[in-house]
Amino acid sequence: MSGNTFGTLFRFTTFGESHGELIGCVIDGAPSKIPLSESDIQPALDRRRPGKSPLETQRAEADKVRIVSGVFDGLTTGTPIGLLIANEDHRSADYGDIRDKFRPAHADLPYQLAYGIRDYRGGGRASARETAMRVAAGAVAEKILKTMIGDSVSVSARLIRVGGETDPSRFAAVIEKARDEKNSVGGVIEIVAKNFPAGLGSPVYDKLDAELAKALMSVNAVKGVEIGDGFAAADLTGTENADEMVPDPAAPNGIGFLSNHAGGILGGLSTGQDIVVRIVVKPTPSVGMPLKTVDGKLNATDIVTKGRHDPCVALRAVPVAEAMVWCVLADAFLRRRAVCFNKDKD
Amino acid sequence: MSGNTFGTLFRFTTFGESHGELIGCVIDGAPSKIPLSESDIQPALDRRRPGKSPLETQRAEADKVRIVSGVFDGLTTGTPIGLLIANEDHRSADYGDIRDKFRPAHADLPYQLAYGIRDYRGGGRASARETAMRVAAGAVAEKILKTMIGDSVSVSARLIRVGGETDPSRFAAVIEKARDEKNSVGGVIEIVAKNFPAGLGSPVYDKLDAELAKALMSVNAVKGVEIGDGFAAADLTGTENADEMVPDPAAPNGIGFLSNHAGGILGGLSTGQDIVVRIVVKPTPSVGMPLKTVDGKLNATDIVTKGRHDPCVALRAVPVAEAMVWCVLADAFLRRRAVCFNKDKD
Amino acid sequence: MSGNTFGTLFRFTTFGESHGELIGCVIDGAPSKIPLSESDIQPALDRRRPGKSPLETQRAEADKVRIVSGVFDGLTTGTPIGLLIANEDHRSADYGDIRDKFRPAHADLPYQLAYGIRDYRGGGRASARETAMRVAAGAVAEKILKTMIGDSVSVSARLIRVGGETDPSRFAAVIEKARDEKNSVGGVIEIVAKNFPAGLGSPVYDKLDAELAKALMSVNAVKGVEIGDGFAAADLTGTENADEMVPDPAAPNGIGFLSNHAGGILGGLSTGQDIVVRIVVKPTPSVGMPLKTVDGKLNATDIVTKGRHDPCVALRAVPVAEAMVWCVLADAFLRRRAVCFNKDKD
Amino acid sequence: MSGNTFGTLFRFTTFGESHGELIGCVIDGAPSKIPLSESDIQPALDRRRPGKSPLETQRAEADKVRIVSGVFDGLTTGTPIGLLIANEDHRSADYGDIRDKFRPAHADLPYQLAYGIRDYRGGGRASARETAMRVAAGAVAEKILKTMIGDSVSVSARLIRVGGETDPSRFAAVIEKARDEKNSVGGVIEIVAKNFPAGLGSPVYDKLDAELAKALMSVNAVKGVEIGDGFAAADLTGTENADEMVPDPAAPNGIGFLSNHAGGILGGLSTGQDIVVRIVVKPTPSVGMPLKTVDGKLNATDIVTKGRHDPCVALRAVPVAEAMVWCVLADAFLRRRAVCFNKDKD
């Protein structure tokens, strides 16, 4: 398989490059009779759009999504849902310099070695444009889950660290400084999913945390994923790390937890506690200062990215990370339903 | 799907519980004519066996693997390779106390909620016994890669941090102390893969780092995965993080790198540099001190794990992590071969 | 999985309904550097278009395909290939009567029972419009195979039986008669694939004949598939059915066959002989005479299909059957490449 | 993928060759809490065993199945179910002659061309021994369906044509005659599935009839599959072929059908009517008379199969066909449950 498809039961395939006429996505597996319209998807895309904050790259994309199939009378039919977004901003010229050069920290070199051919315009499939479809798919996943479980479920992502800074009131300053210096900074995003049922996940190889790790690591520029205490658990003892349980009639399943070091997942299954995940987003590889590289003929050269670039791609990754978590949970939820046999209910 | 299968082209399904008569694994997708015998697999299993070092839990398992299908005259036939390991040590009695109680930080609770039934003996599929088959599969993956690429490829895992300590000469002391206190400690493992070709990985959703993250996060007790600089990249700038390139006739593809912040993966594809991955293994949840929990009727109670337990499960996870990386690389390698069309070579 | 995806390595997902704005297809898995443009696909679509022969239903669809992704400088990039065809003819009015009634021999009833919702306009996903994308995908499969194997490979489908008649010069008369009577007739199509290599197919469950059977049975109105002698083999003896072999330096692999009862497939793998498959296409279910049925409230009623209908849908299925065989062979070919290890060549 | 796995949600992988120490199967996806023991599986295997009727090949296999994982306290746990059957009868000597020769109508030649290596003993994975695991998996599928739907569901296969004969009282004579002549005859098997719900199947590419066709065509020696009227529908008109509907309070869903030309499947979904499928099984390729072939060096030679062979393999295929239909229906049923959202019920 070629890796352009996400999921098993909530499954989607994206296509389109940033410099083609459109980008698209086909979602297969949405149950029937879920209410769905563009108004369920557009808000998430609008949150993602660059240019809504002065801190981000200025691109002129409206990112208006169209549902072209799979919905009838405002309800999903159970057939594939096609989503299309037209590409409006095609400033190829900004990338002309990289036709023959490999940009450091970009995918240019390995793509050329893998496929023998490389669409140099805008980074092709490795570009951030592809993430618009992830956000769209995430909005559909959210709609499915809210309809099938209830409105209390939520997934919320936020930056918790930027350029070494942890005080949110100082993030903007750090990013501005990087932009002025024609450089970029990295960041850490935390995503919390609340009120999801326990038991989601498919041991042994499709554990919920494993699927979350894969989905989030597949987002551009992500270089690490951790659950709950994550890497900090390396320095805890067993007693410090254990989440003890007590009876609690007010809690789901009647079981209350005294802590959440596990981040809501044990043995690869959700426990009913908040699912807490963190990811690191590396600093944007396109910078305004020369970096050493080689060209297609292996001659030494320099490369400078002119024009648009992001001083902090972590900022733009926030809605994308949120979307991926919605998608993983939708897939896990449908998979759990498929194999549950409750003799009293069926 | 039920999550008991790993991979797409190099694919295996494991089965068996620690207290059944055997554990097994079916590997499908191994190309034909690869030399293979038990002697290619047993050494990796022997490295994994507990009891070979006084620091680890004493279990009396010989873990002798048998190849029951898929090999003829010492060569793979291209048909499924069946591997079986008999379970010898069935001390169910050690776990009797947990029949009715949920152990904190274990999978007991979510399993019960998910399936409505829980095999309490030894932790069923969440136990460490299942990892023996991962190690066996990893040995087969290694054999395939060394045969198809060459003997220079290597994957090597080692502990780099235990209970907060980073000096390997002090690891044993830290673990002994934990054992004496009937507690446990966590750790960090680093895995390095060398001399693999560039271009491995299937963007967009099956990127090499995404697959590595999923495979490693699926290992028991792993709570985080990072590539290259990982979470440290959050605090770097774009210029600090970039791996500049220079011509280097001695290097693969004629391209040399001045650093490896990326950990050998860019845009989800291998670059030809060392692939560097780190995982955090939480401290073992079974401890000899009482922890608060509830029983099946939701009454408050305590639980203490008597008998065998690991003071540092990270130690045992080392060969498992190595095996998972071999498996991911074998799958990625076969997938790359499937889609490469080199008109000059074919 | 929801069944809207074909294949494993040559894989495509179709979307869109006949009364939506467009139909589309995403092909994933095409190797890179295959020459591809709309001119490779449009001819197959033109052969399929209704209205090019007076025997077929008059619909005004130009079926112009656009490649919206996956191709750069005339070559595939290895990224997903998006194909779109705008729907021009939306005569919903023709179907108004069936909003509340279930048409006999159509999918209306089971769709309603399965999904709880039914897009009654034009038959939704069960309509023949969806087959346009199959034909488009088949043209891409053909291009891949001709580029990778050579121009000698061919797949050719033709009607061999219509309304009980086996003399092709009488087919038109039989169909005209059915049209005049507002009825329809069935037919048998034979597809022959020549010059394909031996060894295609993946035993045990993905045998080449099994994949062909599935792909062809998935075409609308197909009710049977047979290979080689097919159902006639039931009445042969072992000696009559065996295809004896003799040395033949002129033949591929140096082995000549004295007959081809097997239809080019043995043990689920191609033998190098012509692959011969036949399918039966039932008579079109939409007829101009009243048929008994029930409405949504389970009242007895009649239904008559006014407006357009096909007197012989087998005629239109010919290019679709051809396309499906191209697709299966492309998938099988890529799967074979993935697992072949030829130590001398690699 | 290598083709040794069946299904998506009810999924199993078989392994083992007829001359290895055992054959096995891992079933993944069985819901939890289904009662299961060897006594649910052994009877189907006993029905399949050769030697229980004088008409069949004499092999001394007890075919005793062991469940080695996935069941606890008599109920499935939701973890993989491992089934093993020891091979008792290893009369390799009977096959010695074919080490260097390719048997006509067998898979020998294409296997050699595909894999470059061929386990000549007993036909390896193409042999009939592998079907024992299909029968075992079918028994598990049956148990799941009867537990989840009810005891009224049934799947029943029977021979309806042998060596051209359609009167069952004459089948034995036809087979005896073939045995005496050291030849073999073919046959047709009809399988009927009753009382299954409507709506099973996943359009567009995983239609129920497509999945049935694939599963049945994957059985050794099957060369054709038809549904309902099958190939006879080619000669019917639309009005003759339509299954008209009338209100019927006694029928499932309140809808009665006046006929069943469709064989219980329309648009790829079950309609609630009996599902009727027929397959053709070619005459056994191993015969006691010399057939022309070539050896590994491409010299002309003869081959005669001494020792055991089946004069009518269709007879042995009956329980295998039945099992495959159970498996397909189990997979379809679980897939249907996964995507149904009934707001009133959930």
Side-chain angles (χ1 to χ4, degrees), chain A residues 1-6 8-9 11-12 14 102-107 109-111 113-115 125-126 130 134 161-165 183-188 198-207 209-211 213-215 217-220 222-228 230-247 253-255 257-258 261-263 265-267 269-271 278-284 287 289-294 298-301 324 335-336 339-340, chain B residues 1-6 8-9 11-12 14 102-107 109-111 113-115 125-126 130 134 161-165 183-188 198-207 209-211 213-215 217-220 222-228 230-247 253-255 257-258 261-263 265-267 269-271 278-284 287 289-294 298-301 324 335-336 339-340:
Chain A
M1 283 155 231
S2 270
N4 293 290
T5 297
F6 168 93
T8 52
L9 290 193
R11 161 179 283 237
F12 63 89
T14 60
F102 300 114
R103 294 169 293 173
H106 272 273
L109 174 64
Y111 263 73
L113 294 171
Y115 295 101
R125 288 284 281 168
E130 192 270 340
R134 295 178 185 236
R161 189 181 182 95
V162 173
E165 183 61 59
N183 211 333
S184 58
V185 289
V188 175
L200 299 181
S202 297
V204 163
Y205 296 100
D206 297 347
K207 290 177 174 176
D209 43 355
E211 296 284 19
K214 178 179 175 181
M217 194 72 92
S218 83
V219 176
N220 290 326
V222 173
K223 301 298 287 188
V225 183
E226 60 177 25
I227 311 279
F231 279 88
D235 298 349
L236 297 181
T237 62
T239 47
E240 290 169 340
N241 181 261
D243 298 315
E244 294 179 285
M245 288 174 272
V246 292
N253 305 309
I255 297 172
F257 291 84
L258 297 186
H261 296 282
I265 299 177
L266 282 175
L269 298 174
S270 60
T271 60
R278 273 178 302 283
I279 62 176
V280 50
V281 184
K282 72 179 185 181
T284 322
V287 294
M289 287 166 285
L291 293 171
K292 292 188 179 60
T293 187
V294 298
L298 301 185
N299 298 316
T301 182
M324 294 316 298
R335 291 175 75 172
R336 175 58 41 214
V339 299
C340 264
Chain B
M1 285 157 234
S2 268
N4 292 290
T5 296
F6 168 91
T8 52
L9 290 192
R11 159 179 285 236
F12 62 90
T14 60
F102 300 115
R103 294 168 295 172
H106 272 273
L109 173 62
Y111 263 73
L113 293 172
Y115 295 100
R125 289 282 282 168
E130 192 270 341
R134 295 177 185 238
R161 187 180 185 98
V162 173
E165 183 61 60
N183 211 333
S184 59
V185 288
V188 176
L200 299 182
S202 297
V204 163
Y205 295 100
D206 296 347
K207 290 177 174 175
D209 43 355
E211 297 283 19
K214 178 179 177 180
M217 194 72 94
S218 82
V219 175
N220 289 328
V222 173
K223 300 299 286 189
V225 184
E226 59 178 25
I227 310 281
F231 279 88
D235 298 350
L236 297 181
T237 63
T239 46
E240 289 169 341
N241 182 260
D243 298 316
E244 295 179 284
M245 288 174 270
V246 292
N253 305 309
I255 297 172
F257 291 83
L258 297 186
H261 296 283
I265 299 177
L266 282 175
L269 298 174
S270 61
T271 60
R278 274 178 302 281
I279 62 175
V280 51
V281 184
K282 71 178 186 182
T284 321
V287 294
M289 286 165 286
L291 294 171
K292 293 187 179 61
T293 187
V294 298
L298 302 185
N299 298 317
T301 182
M324 294 316 297
R335 291 175 76 172
R336 175 57 44 212
V339 298
C340 265

Side-chain angles (χ1 to χ4, degrees), chain C residues 97-98 101-104 289-291 293 301-305:
Chain C
D97 190 38
I98 71 166
K101 301 181 184 179
F102 300 114
R103 293 169 295 174
M289 287 163 286
L291 294 171
T293 187
T301 182
D302 278 343
I303 189 162
V304 175
T305 302

Side-chain angles (χ1 to χ4, degrees), chain C residues 1-6 8-9 11-12 14 102-107 109-111 113-115 125-126 130 134 161-165 183-188 198-207 209-211 213-215 217-220 222-228 230-247 253-255 257-258 261-263 265-267 269-271 278-284 287 289-294 298-301 324 335-336 339-340, chain D residues 1-6 8-9 11-12 14 102-107 109-111 113-115 125-126 130 134 161-165 183-188 198-207 209-211 213-215 217-220 222-228 230-247 253-255 257-258 261-263 265-267 269-271 278-284 287 289-294 298-301 324 335-336 339-340:
Chain C
M1 284 155 233
S2 269
N4 293 289
T5 297
F6 168 92
T8 51
L9 291 193
R11 161 178 282 238
F12 62 90
T14 60
F102 300 114
R103 293 169 295 174
H106 273 272
L109 173 63
Y111 264 72
L113 293 171
Y115 295 100
R125 290 283 282 169
E130 192 271 341
R134 294 177 185 238
R161 188 180 184 97
V162 173
E165 184 59 61
N183 212 332
S184 58
V185 289
V188 176
L200 299 181
S202 297
V204 163
Y205 294 101
D206 296 348
K207 290 177 175 176
D209 43 355
E211 297 283 18
K214 178 179 176 182
M217 195 71 92
S218 82
V219 175
N220 290 328
V222 173
K223 300 300 286 187
V225 183
E226 59 178 25
I227 311 278
F231 278 89
D235 297 350
L236 296 181
T237 62
T239 47
E240 290 169 341
N241 181 260
D243 298 316
E244 295 179 286
M245 289 174 270
V246 292
N253 305 310
I255 297 171
F257 291 84
L258 298 185
H261 296 283
I265 300 176
L266 282 175
L269 299 174
S270 60
T271 60
R278 274 178 301 283
I279 63 176
V280 51
V281 184
K282 71 179 185 182
T284 322
V287 295
M289 287 163 286
L291 294 171
K292 294 188 183 58
T293 187
V294 298
L298 302 186
N299 298 318
T301 182
M324 293 317 297
R335 291 175 75 171
R336 176 53 45 214
V339 300
C340 265
Chain D
M1 284 158 232
S2 271
N4 293 290
T5 296
F6 169 92
T8 51
L9 291 192
R11 159 179 285 237
F12 62 90
T14 60
F102 301 113
R103 292 168 296 172
H106 273 272
L109 173 63
Y111 263 72
L113 295 171
Y115 295 101
R125 289 282 283 168
E130 193 269 341
R134 295 177 185 238
R161 187 181 185 94
V162 173
E165 184 59 62
N183 211 333
S184 59
V185 288
V188 175
L200 299 181
S202 297
V204 160
Y205 295 100
D206 297 347
K207 290 177 172 175
D209 43 355
E211 297 283 19
K214 178 178 176 181
M217 195 72 91
S218 82
V219 175
N220 290 328
V222 173
K223 300 299 287 188
V225 183
E226 60 177 25
I227 311 280
F231 278 89
D235 298 349
L236 297 181
T237 63
T239 47
E240 290 169 339
N241 181 260
D243 297 315
E244 295 179 285
M245 289 175 269
V246 292
N253 305 309
I255 297 171
F257 291 82
L258 298 186
H261 296 283
I265 299 176
L266 282 175
L269 298 174
S270 59
T271 60
R278 274 177 302 281
I279 62 176
V280 50
V281 183
K282 73 179 184 182
T284 323
V287 295
M289 286 164 287
L291 294 172
K292 293 189 181 61
T293 187
V294 298
L298 301 187
N299 299 315
T301 183
M324 294 316 298
R335 290 175 76 170
R336 175 56 44 215
V339 300
C340 267

